[in-house]
Amino acid sequence: MIARALLLATALIAASSAAAVAQTQESFTNRNAIAAPVLRANVQVSSDLVRIGDVIDNAGSAAQIAIYRAPDLGTTGSLPVAQVLNTLRAHHVIGVDTRDLREISVTRLARTLEGKDIELQIARALERRNGLGDAANLSLTFDRDPSDVRLDAGFTGAMQAAIVRYDNRNGRFDVTFEIGNDNGAAAAKLRFTGTAIETVEATVLARNVERNEILKSSDVVVERRAKAEVGADAAARDRAVGMQARRQLRAGQAIRTADLVKPDLVQRDQNVMLVYEAPGIYLTMRGKALDNGTEGDVVSVMNVQSKRTLSGTVIGRGQVSITPAAPRPPQTSDATSSLGSTQPAPVAVATVSSPVAPKAE
């Protein structure tokens, strides 16, 4: 019985050892299968170097070895598989599964800053600096055209204005931005120089306009002009239309409020209607204007019938209101006024103290 038990125990131990060995071999086989390097068809890199770990999976300790320079920022290049395998062998990386690829593509990731966004950030940095106005009203001219700027994909930080200079005497600006990197690299610096001016919406003449001419809608357009050119009294378009030019104006000129006046509703030597209005009375008569005048102006007019010259207020086109004269107060004698008496003055009576003189012959 003891011998039989020993034989059974030996058999069990042998079976367990065989199972353990088989399991260990299977584990090594699976580990080798997982660790086999496999070539990638499409490679994306965010730096200027392509490393072994970028082109194959399971590169192991060789992953950080640089083997190629990356394409330009934001572009894609290709590499023949045969060339890649030769390069890998030189670094003792063999047994690569090529998956029957003939070439692989390598794309260098990039962050693109568009020129219009750069201009907007510069305008915001200059906003209300040294007398400038809102960013939306700033017009920028660059020493070098700010085309799109490409950075490594690791520079994901916002554009931070590190240095901002502006000279209001000549309009020159000098702005430097810093952009942080997620990978711990030094911040990228972008510097821009040029000229900044503040602009306003200006009403501009589309043609030459003579003195006293009334502006029509087709005579004016709205453009952005330098604030220094227009001044603080730029005329709005809706207020310029229908107004009268105070002086001769040229095409392309920005209109100022001082260039315009209300249109004359009455012109010299024009036939007008005189309006006389009093409580219970409304009279109209023909007249002739002796002055030019806009609404509210007091002008001289002549009554065509009586030939009398009157003063009146312009109330409309070709209409002048004649104000009725106020009634004159009753006059009193100086003597009565000086005495302040309300009694009538005594009347002198003539008396005869001598006989009537005889009639001369």
Side-chain angles (χ1 to χ4, degrees):
M1 292 294 292
I2 295 174
R4 184 176 180 183
L6 291 174
L7 289 174
L8 181 59
T10 302
L12 290 174
I13 293 172
S16 298
S17 299
V21 171
Q23 185 176 0
T24 302
Q25 291 178 346
E26 183 179 359
S27 177
F28 278 119
T29 302
N30 292 337
R31 184 179 301 173
N32 290 335
I34 294 174
V38 179
L39 194 66
R40 294 175 178 170
N42 298 298
V43 177
Q44 293 182 338
V45 296
S46 57
S47 68
D48 58 347
L49 296 175
V50 178
R51 305 177 189 278
I52 292 178
D54 296 324
V55 298
I56 62 173
D57 293 320
N58 307 319
S61 60
Q64 296 302 315
I65 299 176
I67 53 177
Y68 296 109
R69 293 197 64 84
D72 292 336
L73 287 167
T75 62
T76 299
S78 61
L79 289 171
V81 170
Q83 177 184 341
V84 174
L85 293 178
N86 289 335
T87 303
L88 293 176
R89 289 193 193 99
H91 294 281
H92 309 289
V93 179
I94 58 176
V96 178
D97 182 3
T98 64
R99 297 187 298 168
D100 296 329
L101 297 174
R102 293 187 177 182
E103 65 178 19
I104 63 173
S105 66
V106 179
T107 301
R108 186 174 178 183
L109 300 177
R111 176 187 178 184
T112 301
L113 303 175
E114 296 184 358
K116 61 180 181 180
D117 293 332
I118 294 173
E119 185 171 350
L120 177 60
Q121 292 297 328
I122 294 174
R124 288 176 176 173
L126 295 173
E127 185 174 39
R128 302 191 179 282
R129 183 175 291 268
N130 292 350
L132 287 177
D134 295 337
N137 295 331
L138 300 185
S139 176
L140 306 180
T141 303
F142 293 87
D143 295 335
R144 297 178 62 182
D145 186 25
S147 56
D148 295 351
V149 175
R150 287 178 176 173
L151 302 173
D152 281 329
F155 292 99
T156 59
M159 293 181 64
Q160 300 290 341
I163 301 174
V164 180
R165 297 190 181 97
Y166 175 73
D167 189 342
N168 56 8
R169 294 171 297 180
N170 54 22
R172 297 284 303 170
F173 70 81
D174 186 342
V175 179
T176 299
F177 293 100
E178 290 186 353
I179 302 176
N181 190 298
D182 289 343
N183 300 325
K189 293 186 177 182
L190 302 176
R191 182 184 178 190
F192 303 94
T193 59
T195 304
I197 59 173
E198 185 175 0
T199 64
V200 295
E201 282 192 349
T203 304
V204 180
L205 287 172
R207 64 177 182 86
N208 294 333
V209 174
E210 299 299 324
R211 181 176 179 272
N212 294 333
E213 193 172 353
I214 297 177
L215 299 182
K216 302 186 294 294
S217 178
S218 59
D219 295 334
V220 295
V221 294
V222 176
E223 295 179 359
R224 280 210 162 267
R225 293 289 180 91
K227 184 177 180 180
E229 172 190 346
V230 179
D233 62 339
R237 185 182 188 281
D238 56 347
R239 295 192 176 184
V241 174
M243 296 293 281
Q244 182 174 302
R246 189 188 295 272
R247 58 186 178 85
Q248 187 179 30
L249 303 173
R250 67 181 185 278
Q253 179 178 346
I255 305 175
R256 303 183 182 185
T257 304
D259 296 328
L260 306 174
V261 294
K262 291 182 179 180
D264 288 336
L265 299 180
V266 169
Q267 296 183 351
R268 181 182 177 86
D269 295 331
Q270 176 187 358
N271 291 327
V272 296
M273 180 175 68
L274 306 181
V275 179
Y276 179 90
E277 189 173 4
I281 301 175
Y282 182 87
L283 299 176
T284 61
M285 61 198 78
R286 290 184 301 127
K288 183 178 182 180
L290 304 180
D291 299 315
N292 293 342
T294 186
E295 186 177 4
D297 287 350
V298 177
V299 296
S300 296
V301 293
M302 183 179 66
N303 187 327
V304 175
Q305 295 178 349
S306 65
K307 305 301 181 182
R308 291 181 57 191
T309 299
L310 308 170
S311 293
T313 303
V314 178
I315 60 174
R317 188 169 297 281
Q319 294 183 337
V320 178
S321 173
I322 305 300
T323 303
R328 299 179 61 183
Q331 296 181 350
T332 58
S333 66
D334 294 341
T336 304
S337 299
S338 62
L339 294 174
S341 173
T342 58
Q343 299 297 325
V347 178
V349 179
T351 60
V352 179
S353 59
S354 61
V356 179
K359 182 178 180 182
E361 294 182 0

